Amino acid sequence: MPAEVLSDHTTDVLVVGGGPSGLALAAELAARHLSVRVVAPHPPQPFAPTYGAWLGELPAWAQACTAQVWTDVRVYSGPQPTPLLRPYALLDNARLLGTLLRRAGERLCWTQGRVTRAERRGELWHVHGEAGEVWTARLVVDASGHGGLLQPTAFEGGAALQTAYGIVAHFRRPPSPPGAMVWMDYRAPHLSRTEVRAEPTFLYAMHLDGDRYFVQETSLIARPAPSREFMAARLYARLEALGTPPTTPNPTSG
């Protein structure tokens, strides 16, 4: 066991995890003049997934982090689209990260490490790291992901998860309507009814510019979650069935 090294700095809040939820909470707390420590196994880095949001639900500072906004937003549950009369935004993850860090300022201490456990002693929490570190804080928030790290949640039958596989690529034929954002397209004539019922997935698509699109096959919730390989195969099968395979040799995936 490594020797414990007690931090000489007690923070108001310690956040376990440096993902978008943990960092957004940390930045908001720091903006409200609280001292915050984020403990994550990596240094600050842009978030990997693609994130979108309804523009009107984003605070002003987050609206400045948008990469693109669509006013033509639609859903397909049948042959004709259903318009969703709300602007939808794609977030620029690098800009979002930088904005959150600047918003937090000097009140945020980012610590690279891995939390193993936490215990309360009197008015303070003592949070232990795998390298023997001990950080003290008045409040601890576990933002390490579904299930939690400090007090893991047991999901009977396993956790039901949302999963997706998407690519950014160039297309000779548009895989979705140009200028539009397709929030959900459940049409799947290339699949049998049995396949659809067994693994219901939909297309989530954004026209970025020119002949460049982001297309993503999404499983809204499933237990067990479909594999990345399954979702990739279903996306490419959908694009082939539509007659719109990507022309980019090695599209960017996410």
Side-chain angles (χ1 to χ4, degrees):
M1 294 288 292
E4 291 189 347
V5 179
L6 182 64
S7 168
D8 59 358
H9 177 52
T10 295
T11 51
D12 292 314
V13 183
L14 184 146
V15 177
V16 182
S21 297
L23 184 54
L25 173 63
E28 191 62 30
L29 293 172
R32 293 170 184 262
H33 308 292
L34 295 172
S35 60
V36 186
R37 182 189 299 275
V38 168
V39 181
H42 52 76
Q45 60 188 25
F47 316 118
T50 299
Y51 289 111
W54 299 111
L55 184 65
E57 294 182 356
L58 294 173
W61 63 264
Q63 290 188 16
C65 300
T66 58
Q68 200 159 337
V69 176
W70 293 267
T71 55
D72 182 350
V73 185
R74 51 179 76 182
V75 167
Y76 289 91
S77 57
Q80 299 302 317
T82 299
L84 302 180
L85 305 178
R86 304 171 65 190
Y88 193 79
L90 171 67
L91 290 166
D92 181 320
N93 287 354
R95 195 184 308 166
L96 178 61
L97 173 68
T99 299
L100 287 171
L101 292 174
R102 287 190 297 273
R103 184 171 172 78
E106 295 181 356
R107 291 184 178 274
L108 172 64
C109 174
W110 188 291
T111 301
Q112 193 167 341
R114 293 182 182 273
V115 170
T116 57
R117 61 188 176 92
E119 57 188 2
R120 189 176 182 89
R121 301 179 194 168
E123 297 298 316
L124 296 178
W125 283 92
H126 290 243
V127 182
H128 298 257
E130 68 176 6
E133 313 98 325
V134 180
W135 305 286
T136 54
R138 293 176 178 83
L139 177 70
V140 178
V141 177
D142 188 346
S144 58
H146 79 274
L149 175 68
L150 297 178
Q151 293 182 329
T153 301
F155 297 96
E156 185 176 352
L161 302 174
Q162 178 177 327
T163 53
Y165 178 88
I167 60 172
V168 174
H170 295 269
F171 294 82
R172 289 193 182 92
R173 292 184 58 199
S176 63
M181 191 276 155
V182 177
W183 205 49
M184 292 179 175
D185 186 346
Y186 274 101
R187 297 172 298 176
H190 60 294
L191 299 175
S192 69
R193 186 171 298 181
T194 300
E195 289 175 304
V196 171
R197 287 178 174 173
E199 295 284 1
T201 61
F202 61 87
L203 178 69
Y204 174 92
M206 298 170 169
H207 179 210
L208 301 177
D209 54 63
D211 64 352
R212 195 168 63 99
Y213 290 77
F214 172 74
V215 289
Q216 175 180 282
E217 195 76 18
T218 305
S219 168
L220 193 59
I221 189 166
R223 180 193 294 128
S227 68
R228 176 183 174 90
E229 291 74 21
F230 174 87
M231 297 299 290
R234 183 163 279 194
L235 174 62
Y236 284 109
R238 181 190 293 274
L239 295 174
E240 287 290 340
L242 290 172
T244 60
T247 60
T248 309
N250 295 297
T252 303
S253 63

